[in-house]
């Protein structure tokens, strides 16, 4: 009884002391690590106003960095160059200006990305073929898998256990039976979009599959908000696919008819797709992929100057955000953006305003109806900031368009997995490809024109005439934008 009464008397003091210590640790971390002063103040306020709950929320949502590059550097030291050096020499900004005259004014952008993405040089000799969802992308990907002879690496945020997923499992299983080395990496959160998860079916087909950052592992709990949103497929180390498409049946004709855009990639830049996958795979499984089965010599395959841009809450932090800011700063005539999720931060909003005020035509194409209502409310709440200096916003009619695309001056293109929102640009692991080629950019510009043909222009009057309850709802949703 004495021990029990002593415990009842002491434990509140112990709990209070532990709470203060936890609050101090979280506060110190936020003060030292948060770049944005407003974010640091908000987290510190939450930690002290809501004791323990604030600390738990900060642990789950506020820690948005993870160190991975040290492991990749160790692998390089232990096993040599990773991957082997390209057979094609990197292109300098000066060579870009001489080789692609329409892109001469973008040499400073190439120089910026050289500094931001030091381990991914700009490479000549590539070919990128746009593939629309459904009838174009999945058949091309499955055909490449069926033609594989040595290796297949596949990374997807979502890989559903549905008709589309089963087609890929069957093709990957056939590849395993032919003796092809197959590795599949799926985000641990994305794999649960469908139930039961596809991982069991993949393992039964003999495919080596892993989940990126499992959320139920205690050691990974602080990083549960950091997801792998990349979409990469590399076959025999020579043919790559990347873009915005997950593996889901609603991209199949007659299954919802959602729109998206993927790209078939050939040339030296495929090695950068493979390197990004290999780093993610090594981080997840500790298995290192090396040798010609994964990294064969890559010869020129087309006219496009291209570079892979990995982005994530690690040593590649904000590479894409800086690339977007650089592209807007260099634009002279046109900027065209297609994205499903548009919640830019204040720096990107200012950059869009400045480029429009300089007389550059800025067109933004968004879905009229999003699949995530709260995200749409937050996006609409700040569209006026972009539209006021003469930028044009178009709303594309259903079906939902998941395309991510940016074209500047009809010569520079950015394609890949990233959206224009904080989750893609600060929290997710993403992969985009920048391309310098007038023919490719004009082709993509034509695809944007096709989307504009079935879109309507949104006006400031329409935004301002919304009822007050709707304005308040959207404004409150905007407060959640850092985590949408």
């Amino acid at each position: 009884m004495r021990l029990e009464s002593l415990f009842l008397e002491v434990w509140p003091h112990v709990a209070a002391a532990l709470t203060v210590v936890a609050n101090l640790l979280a506060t110190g971390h936020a003060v030292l690590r948060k770049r944005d002063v407003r974010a640091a103040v908000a987290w510190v306020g939450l930690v002290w106003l809501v004791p323990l709950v604030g600390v738990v929320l900060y642990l789950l949502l506020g820690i948005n960095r993870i160190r991975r590059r040290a492991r990749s550097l160790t692998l390089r030291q232990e096993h040599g160059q990773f991957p082997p050096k390209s057979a094609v020499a990197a292109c300098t900004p000066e060579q870009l200006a001489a080789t692609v005259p329409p892109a001469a004014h973008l040499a400073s952008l190439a120089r910026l990305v050289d500094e931001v993405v030091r381990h991914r040089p700009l490479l000549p000799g590539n070919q990128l073929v746009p593939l629309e969802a459904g009838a174009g992308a999945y058949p091309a990907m499955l055909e490449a898998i069926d033609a594989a002879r040595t290796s297949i690496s596949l990374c997807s945020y979502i890989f559903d256990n549905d008709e589309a997923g089963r087609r890929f499992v069957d093709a990957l299983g056939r590849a395993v039976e032919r003796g092809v080395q197959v590795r599949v990496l799926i985000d641990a959160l994305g794999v649960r979009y469908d139930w039961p998860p596809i991982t069991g079916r993949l393992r039964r087909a003999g495919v080596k599959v892993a989940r990126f950052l499992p959320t139920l592992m205690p050691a990974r709990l602080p990083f549960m908000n950091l997801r792998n949103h990349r979409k990469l497929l590399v076959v025999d180390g020579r043919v790559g696919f990347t873009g915005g498409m997950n593996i889901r049946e609603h991209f199949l004709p007659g299954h919802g008819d959602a729109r998206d855009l993927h790209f078939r990639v050939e040339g030296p830049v495929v090695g950068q797709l493979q390197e990004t996958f290999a780093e993610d795979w090594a981080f997840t499984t500790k298995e290192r992929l090396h040798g010609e089965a994964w990294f064969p010599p890559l010869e020129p395959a087309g006219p496009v100057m291209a570079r892979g841009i990995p982005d994530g809450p690690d040593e590649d932090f904000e590479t894409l955000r800086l690339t977007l800011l650089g592209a807007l700063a260099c634009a002279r005539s046109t900027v065209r953006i297609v994205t499903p999720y548009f919640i830019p931060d204040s720096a990107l909003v200012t950059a869009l305003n400045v480029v429009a005020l300089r007389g550059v035509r800025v067109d933004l194409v968004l879905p009229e109806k999003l699949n995530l209502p709260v995200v749409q409310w937050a996006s609409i709440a700040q569209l006026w900031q972009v539209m006021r200096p003469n930028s044009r916003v178009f709303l594309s009619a259903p079906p939902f368009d998941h395309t991510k695309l940016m074209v500047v001056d009809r010569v520079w293109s950015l394609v890949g997995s990233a959206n224009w929102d904080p989750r893609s640009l600060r929290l997710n692991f993403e992969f985009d490809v920048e391309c310098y080629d007038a023919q490719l950019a004009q082709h993509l510009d034509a695809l944007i024109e096709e989307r504009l043909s079935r879109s309507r222009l949104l006006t400031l009057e329409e935004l301002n005439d919304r009822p007050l309850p709707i304005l308040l709802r959207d404004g409150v949703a905007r407060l959640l934008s850092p985590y949408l």
Side-chain angles (χ1 to χ4, degrees):
M1 293 297 293
R2 288 182 180 179
L3 289 176
E4 183 178 349
S5 61
L6 180 63
F7 174 77
L8 292 174
E9 181 180 346
V10 171
W11 82 262
H13 303 286
V14 174
L18 291 175
T19 299
V20 171
V21 170
N23 287 356
L24 287 172
L25 291 173
T27 298
H29 191 280
V31 169
L32 294 174
R33 300 287 184 174
K34 291 297 175 184
R35 296 187 178 190
D36 190 328
V37 173
R38 292 167 298 180
V41 170
W43 278 117
V44 170
L46 181 65
V47 163
W48 288 100
L49 290 174
V50 192
L52 289 184
V53 174
V55 172
V56 171
L57 289 174
Y58 182 73
L59 181 67
L60 298 180
L61 302 176
I63 299 175
N64 60 0
R65 298 293 299 277
I66 187 169
R67 297 186 63 83
R68 306 192 317 152
R69 187 53 40 76
R71 177 172 296 175
S72 296
L73 292 175
T74 300
L75 287 171
R76 285 185 173 92
Q77 293 168 359
E78 291 178 353
H79 301 284
Q81 183 68 26
F82 172 59
K85 291 182 179 179
S86 172
V88 176
C91 178
T92 66
E94 293 74 22
Q95 290 170 334
L96 171 66
T99 307
V100 189
H105 67 290
L106 298 174
S108 59
L109 173 59
R111 184 173 293 107
L112 179 149
V113 184
D114 277 343
E115 293 295 322
V116 172
V117 192
R118 291 180 179 273
H119 55 294
R120 300 289 197 280
L122 182 64
L123 297 173
N126 303 285
Q127 181 181 46
L128 281 83
V129 178
L131 302 169
E132 291 277 5
Y138 285 169
M141 296 166 73
L142 292 169
E143 180 182 358
I145 291 172
D146 282 333
R149 292 295 176 263
T150 59
S151 67
I152 298 171
S153 52
L154 171 62
C155 176
S156 184
Y157 173 60
I158 298 173
F159 193 146
D160 278 349
N161 190 2
D162 56 17
E163 182 178 343
R166 289 190 288 272
R167 292 185 188 181
F168 275 86
V169 172
D170 291 344
L172 293 168
R174 291 192 296 269
V176 171
E177 292 175 356
R178 296 195 305 272
V180 177
Q181 299 183 66
V182 180
R183 304 291 185 272
V184 174
L185 181 63
I186 313 172
D187 184 78
L189 180 63
V191 76
R192 294 204 295 268
Y193 273 58
D194 198 13
W195 192 264
I198 197 74
T199 48
R201 188 180 293 273
L202 283 164
R203 292 190 179 102
R204 288 192 294 274
V207 175
K208 288 188 177 181
V209 58
R211 295 175 301 143
F212 186 88
L213 282 181
T215 55
L216 298 181
M217 293 177 60
R220 299 288 172 86
L221 193 61
F223 308 116
M224 65 174 296
N225 203 32
L226 313 180
R227 308 316 324 161
N228 192 328
H229 194 245
R230 293 166 176 161
K231 290 90 176 176
L232 300 169
L233 170 63
V234 180
V235 175
D236 293 341
R238 299 180 183 277
V239 179
F241 294 84
T242 192
M245 290 185 61
N246 295 294
I247 300 176
R248 315 190 78 178
E249 69 180 7
H250 66 213
F251 290 119
L252 294 174
H255 289 76
D257 298 324
R259 301 195 69 181
D260 209 331
L261 197 63
H262 226 55
F263 292 82
R264 189 180 193 273
V265 186
E266 292 182 273
V269 78
V270 173
Q272 297 180 357
L273 275 68
Q274 188 76 297
E275 181 180 7
T276 300
F277 177 88
E279 289 183 347
D280 287 349
W281 184 260
F283 170 75
T284 304
T285 68
K286 298 183 175 60
E287 179 191 12
R288 183 181 182 276
L289 308 178
H290 60 93
E292 285 204 9
W294 301 97
F295 295 102
L298 296 172
E299 299 298 329
V304 181
M305 300 279 189
R307 174 193 351 239
I309 305 178
D311 184 272
D314 56 359
E315 286 78 3
D316 291 321
F317 190 55
E318 294 195 329
T319 55
L320 280 172
R321 180 173 175 272
L322 292 171
T323 299
L324 296 178
L325 291 169
L328 293 172
C330 294
R332 287 185 177 177
S333 58
T334 59
V335 172
R336 305 189 113 177
I337 300 164
V338 182
T339 182
Y341 310 115
F342 183 74
I343 313 177
D345 61 21
S346 58
L348 285 169
V349 169
T350 301
L352 286 165
N353 291 344
V354 169
V355 73
L357 290 169
R358 287 197 287 112
V360 175
R361 177 180 172 180
V362 179
D363 291 336
L364 175 64
V365 185
L366 308 175
E368 183 160 23
K369 185 175 182 180
L370 274 182
N371 60 335
L372 302 172
V374 176
V375 176
Q376 184 160 25
W377 301 340
S379 177
I380 291 174
Q382 62 183 35
L383 280 181
W384 66 270
Q385 300 179 61
V386 177
M387 295 169 62
R388 185 152 289 178
N390 301 322
S391 294
R392 303 192 304 173
V393 175
F394 296 86
L395 302 180
S396 61
F400 173 59
D401 194 343
H402 194 247
T403 299
K404 305 110 169 31
L405 185 60
M406 181 178 182
V407 179
V408 172
D409 295 346
R410 296 172 64 88
V411 68
W412 182 85
S413 312
L414 185 70
V415 305
S417 65
N419 302 299
W420 282 62
D421 63 8
R423 176 155 294 281
S424 275
L425 300 179
R426 293 184 64 88
L427 299 175
N428 285 345
F429 293 89
E430 306 280 0
F431 186 85
D432 278 33
V433 181
E434 67 159 346
C435 306
Y436 298 82
D437 182 71
Q439 185 175 356
L440 173 63
Q442 289 165 19
H443 186 177
L444 298 179
D445 206 61
L447 294 179
I448 295 174
E449 283 289 346
E450 184 276 328
R451 282 161 168 76
L452 288 174
S453 69
R454 58 182 189 85
S455 302
R456 66 179 183 87
L457 180 66
L458 180 67
T459 65
L460 280 171
E461 291 76 12
E462 181 180 347
L463 281 179
N464 295 333
D465 288 344
R466 290 172 298 154
L468 180 59
I470 299 299
L471 291 171
L472 291 173
R473 178 202 66 186
D474 296 350
V476 171
R478 185 172 69 91
L479 300 179
L480 303 174
S481 60
Y483 302 103
L484 294 178

